[in-house]
Amino acid sequence: MSLVILLKELLGADSEKFLPVIAKDIDSTVIYMANSNYVNMDYSDYEAINKLSGGNFGKYFVFPMGGIGIEADSPVRVRPELNGQIKYSTADIRQDIQNIPDKNTILFCRNFWPYIKDGRAALVQKLAENLQNNGLLVTGNYDNTVELPELLSLNGFKRVKDLSNVYEIK
């Protein structure tokens, strides 16, 4: 959701060429919750979204009746204009890799690499093949706990200058 907000705020109508965002997760509960049109937030989430959107929290979310708590999460309704720009589905990247577009792709593969015990190197190799035509791979900080940067480098990925966890094919 934050990616869509950022695209819309920075690019306005030009953001349409990057939408919809395809969002997949192996956990069907995560996808069910994403499709529910509600997300749990606390006040720090509200502040971060307001900062990201230039004070436009209400453009993307509807406050709950009691407001947003400082420490406790509150269910916040996602406006259809935001959720309509994201297509959620359940998938396992190891089987779904053939559905990744082979050009002009920014692929967010964040914070799941430590959970892939077998086949991590084969998956990185397939991603390197798929992203050769103007593709970027974005990982998360948690992924660095399994030496993912080294594995990416061995398969032809190079970190994009001044962007942590963003890689392109050399």
Side-chain angles (χ1 to χ4, degrees):
M1 289 181 192
S2 58
L3 175 62
V4 173
I5 292 170
L6 188 60
L7 288 170
K8 290 198 154 294
E9 291 299 320
L10 290 177
L11 303 177
D14 289 338
S15 66
E16 295 303 316
K17 68 181 176 181
F18 299 105
L19 301 171
V21 167
I22 308 299
K24 298 182 180 187
D25 197 288
I26 197 168
D27 187 339
S28 60
T29 302
V30 169
I31 297 302
Y32 175 81
M33 295 301 291
N35 276 317
S36 75
N37 295 319
Y38 285 88
V39 293
N40 286 330
M41 290 188 194
D42 64 18
Y43 191 73
S44 65
D45 297 320
Y46 164 79
E47 286 183 319
I49 291 165
N50 239 358
K51 182 178 180 182
L52 175 73
S53 67
N56 287 324
F57 180 91
K59 183 176 172 182
Y60 301 101
F61 301 97
V62 177
F63 289 102
M65 293 294 283
I68 296 177
I70 291 177
E71 293 184 22
D73 284 347
S74 301
V76 176
R77 188 167 56 83
V78 181
R79 291 198 183 270
E81 298 81 21
L82 174 57
N83 239 9
Q85 300 297 322
I86 307 166
K87 304 298 178 206
Y88 298 104
S89 63
T90 304
D92 183 333
I93 192 169
R94 294 169 292 188
Q95 282 82 49
D96 197 51
I97 193 164
Q98 73 275 0
N99 294 321
I100 297 170
D102 62 352
K103 61 182 174 184
N104 300 325
T105 298
I106 302 172
L107 184 64
F108 287 75
C109 291
R110 299 183 66 232
N111 302 321
F112 68 77
W113 291 96
Y115 301 107
I116 296 179
K117 303 297 182 202
D118 298 322
R120 190 180 300 140
L123 179 57
V124 169
Q125 185 177 16
K126 287 180 185 177
L127 288 173
E129 293 166 9
N130 273 36
L131 297 175
Q132 293 219 5
N133 295 319
N134 197 29
L136 291 176
L137 178 70
V138 182
T139 64
N141 288 332
Y142 182 55
D143 300 318
N144 296 334
T145 65
V146 293
E147 300 176 354
L148 184 62
E150 293 83 356
L151 186 57
L152 291 169
S153 179
L154 288 172
N155 283 276
F157 285 95
K158 179 182 175 191
R159 196 174 134 245
V160 174
K161 186 178 185 210
D162 298 328
L163 294 175
S164 60
N165 302 325
V166 179
Y167 300 87
E168 61 187 346
I169 296 293
K170 297 180 199 175

